Amino acid sequence: MKNNWVSENPFVFIIFGATGDLTKRKLIPAIYALAFADLLPGNMRILAIGRRDYTSESFQNMMEEAVKKYSQRSFQKIVWERIKNVITYIKFDFISDTGGYIRLKQYLNNLSDDGIYNHLFFLAVAPNLFAPIVIQLQNNNLLSEGSGWKRVMIEKPFGENLEKAAILNNLLTSALPEERIYRIDHYLGKEMFQNILTLRFSNSIFEPLWNRFYIDHVQISIPETIGVGRRGSYYDRTGVLKDMVQNHMFQLLSIIAMEPPVKLNADYIKNEKIRVMRALRPFPDNLSEKEIVLGQYTGNIAGSKTVPGYLQEENVASNSKTPTFAALKLWIDNYRWQGVPFYLLTGKHLNRKNAEIVIQFKEPPGRRLYGEYCNAKSNILVFRIQPYEGFYFQLNAKKPGNYYEMIQANMDYCQTTAYQNNSPEAYERLIIEAIRGDNSFFTSWDVLNASWYYIEDLEKKISKNSLPVYQYPAGSVGPKAAIKLIENDGRSWWDIHDSINFCTRRSDINENLRHQHGNKK
């Protein structure tokens, strides 16, 4: 019964750029996982479009190896055969081969004879190819809805600046309406990101406290252990503010800070996110390190491996000042959050990889009332988004014994462990929501427009005030100035190690057990 909705929606999943890493690492493994969970109709089709010389058979074999390597689900031949048998590969150049679109249209017309009218286009291509592909789809009447729906999924990044993003958006919305455009920010597809809505709005203990009267500050951190890799050319034009803050971090910020939506659907959620973005206080004209600290990683030795610095990365200018690290302090000027600082931290080649949101509540009154008899600490709620999913709540309790001594009692829910690392990958959820026609967890143009405007205004003020870009060794915590940014306010960055130890231990135990029994879930 639970899958009736999908059996009524046979569709064609058309992947432009099917020979790239995204298809191998994410898209086909996600389709396999959905088939594994019996969430796909038997009469669906997959059309892979690329510019390399593959036959359908050789492409299917390559995808089989990709599923074995990258899927979280155990490889079952019977499940894979269901996917393999519906994959067709077509070779043509997206730009120069206009005849390829004619062949694509003929292929889709033939499928309509079998009752398959719904088309989901996924553009797993470089951003400069979004517009040419959509124009060709429109020119060949491939986006017009007749008997079935036509939807387009677009990968990040959506433009390199506000001007280019607006041009791209105008082109897209001239070809098809906003509700049929699915702009991907893969953080929106993460299970714990979506669980934040449930935790906020279905637990009566939180909503009365979710405001400036009880919350001292909020921290959002997405440190990464990798460098820019082969993305040097793109990253050097973009930097950390556009690569991470403008999209991922603002999405996390808006979901934490938004007002309760009237309904949990795309339009209402979008409207509340926009209100958050519009309430963000602009940075001052005399911008300083009290509001933002920027950094760039340098070479270092990690174990026996030499890690190159940013300036030594491929396709990066030798004198580049592009920041790879940012720590910011933001304010939201509305009734709920007036006076509550939001601290954001993200960077490349740091000493840890995780994504967390920390809600630190105000100091309990008893701490000052009872003096030496009360060493209570502030309550802390931590949402873990990756790599371990779950949440952590720090309370105060009395330590057993004949002396009055307080300890921190931790409530730790590790979703990764509870469901044996079996929660859906982001692309599983995003693909299935696009099939359902629900764009609640995709990025709307209004939110993108507001976030681009805010970041570009910030970058102008950074340039005007000639803020320094501090160097920090790869594998470190980042620039020391970032620690001062928060310590100057009498606060400190949350130490993530204590919060993940319990979850890590339990997950490691489960992982070892799965390997011992040969049961990879």
Side-chain angles (χ1 to χ4, degrees), residues 199-218:
L199 287 165
R200 274 199 63 185
F201 303 131
S202 65
N203 293 287
S204 59
I205 64 171
F206 288 130
E207 185 55 31
L209 309 179
W210 212 262
N211 53 58
R212 59 192 172 93
F213 299 109
Y214 295 98
I215 291 177
D216 178 78
H217 73 278
V218 177

Side-chain angles (χ1 to χ4, degrees), residues 3 15 26 54 95 242 334 354 360 362 421 463 474:
N3 296 338
I15 307 172
K26 298 296 183 181
Y54 285 101
I95 303 296
K242 291 178 179 177
N334 60 21
N354 69 299
Q360 181 158 325
K362 291 192 173 181
N421 204 32
S463 178

Side-chain angles (χ1 to χ4, degrees), residues 249-313:
M249 302 203 82
F250 277 172
Q251 291 290 349
L252 296 177
L253 172 72
S254 62
I255 208 80
I256 283 292
M258 75 182 196
E259 297 298 316
V262 176
K263 295 180 181 179
L264 290 179
N265 69 24
D267 287 338
Y268 289 103
I269 292 174
K270 176 192 73 174
N271 290 340
E272 298 306 333
K273 286 183 177 180
I274 292 170
R275 289 190 179 99
V276 172
M277 293 305 303
R278 290 174 178 168
L280 277 178
R281 182 188 302 174
F283 281 91
D285 290 332
N286 58 339
L287 187 66
S288 72
E289 293 173 33
K290 293 180 180 179
E291 292 88 24
I292 182 170
V293 171
L294 302 171
Q296 184 186 91
Y297 65 84
T298 59
N300 201 2
I301 297 177
S304 59
K305 184 179 179 181
T306 301
V307 179
Y310 178 72
L311 298 182
Q312 287 74 54
E313 298 281 17

Side-chain angles (χ1 to χ4, degrees), residues 236-513:
D236 210 36
R237 301 192 309 271
T238 307
V240 67
L241 294 176
K242 291 178 179 177
D243 187 55
M244 290 295 292
V245 178
Q246 180 268 334
N247 41 71
H248 300 326
M249 302 203 82
F250 277 172
Q251 291 290 349
L252 296 177
L253 172 72
S254 62
I255 208 80
I256 283 292
M258 75 182 196
E259 297 298 316
V262 176
K263 295 180 181 179
L264 290 179
N265 69 24
D267 287 338
Y268 289 103
I269 292 174
K270 176 192 73 174
N271 290 340
E272 298 306 333
K273 286 183 177 180
I274 292 170
R275 289 190 179 99
V276 172
M277 293 305 303
R278 290 174 178 168
L280 277 178
R281 182 188 302 174
F283 281 91
D285 290 332
N286 58 339
L287 187 66
S288 72
E289 293 173 33
K290 293 180 180 179
E291 292 88 24
I292 182 170
V293 171
L294 302 171
Q296 184 186 91
Y297 65 84
T298 59
N300 201 2
I301 297 177
S304 59
K305 184 179 179 181
T306 301
V307 179
Y310 178 72
L311 298 182
Q312 287 74 54
E313 298 281 17
E314 184 179 353
N315 295 322
V316 171
S318 59
N319 60 346
S320 174
K321 298 296 183 182
T322 300
T324 62
F325 172 96
L328 310 85
K329 180 169 66 174
L330 306 177
W331 303 92
I332 298 175
D333 287 334
N334 60 21
Y335 186 81
R336 183 183 291 268
W337 296 111
Q338 186 67 43
V340 178
F342 285 71
Y343 298 95
L344 278 57
L345 185 150
T346 185
K348 296 285 187 184
H349 260 322
L350 297 175
N351 65 337
R352 63 195 186 278
K353 176 185 178 181
N354 69 299
E356 289 190 332
I357 302 172
V358 178
I359 312 295
Q360 181 158 325
F361 293 88
K362 291 192 173 181
E363 183 182 275
R367 184 172 183 177
R368 298 189 184 277
L369 290 174
Y370 303 123
E372 61 180 300
Y373 297 103
C374 180
N375 61 343
K377 294 184 178 180
S378 298
N379 301 121
I380 293 176
L381 174 63
V382 181
F383 295 105
R384 301 193 198 96
I385 297 169
Q386 70 174 24
Y388 298 104
E389 300 168 335
F391 58 90
Y392 166 97
F393 197 19
Q394 179 177 287
L395 303 168
N396 294 299
K398 179 187 175 296
K399 183 178 180 180
N402 296 321
Y403 296 95
Y404 192 84
E405 183 179 354
M406 281 194 174
I407 57 172
Q408 276 63 60
N410 304 325
M411 300 176 64
D412 195 308
Y413 168 68
C414 185
Q415 181 172 287
T416 305
T417 301
Y419 291 91
Q420 299 185 355
N421 204 32
N422 203 30
S423 61
E425 281 280 317
Y427 281 91
E428 294 176 42
R429 177 59 57 84
L430 294 173
I431 290 171
I432 210 164
E433 295 300 343
I435 298 167
R436 287 171 170 157
D438 183 353
N439 54 15
S440 302
F441 295 101
F442 293 84
T443 305
S444 73
W445 168 246
D446 290 335
V447 174
L448 267 175
N449 185 43
S451 63
W452 269 124
Y453 182 86
Y454 191 85
I455 286 298
E456 292 201 348
D457 178 67
L458 171 58
E459 289 194 327
K460 290 175 184 176
K461 291 171 181 176
I462 290 172
S463 178
K464 175 185 174 182
N465 290 277
S466 302
L467 290 189
V469 178
Y470 292 99
Q471 294 186 333
Y472 63 94
S476 68
V477 297
K480 293 181 180 179
I483 299 175
K484 293 181 180 179
L485 179 144
I486 193 169
E487 287 186 345
N488 287 339
D489 296 338
R491 302 180 175 96
S492 61
W493 293 110
W494 169 249
D495 184 356
I496 61 115
H497 299 293
D498 290 338
S499 77
I500 67 171
N501 279 345
F502 180 63
C503 192
T504 306
R505 287 196 301 271
R506 292 176 62 190
S507 296
D508 288 345
I509 291 170
N510 275 335
E511 188 66 25
N512 290 334
L513 288 173

Side-chain angles (χ1 to χ4, degrees), residues 221-239:
S221 60
I222 312 180
E224 299 179 281
T225 54
I226 60 172
V228 298
R230 293 181 293 178
R231 299 171 68 225
S233 179
Y234 160 77
Y235 198 94
D236 210 36
R237 301 192 309 271
T238 307

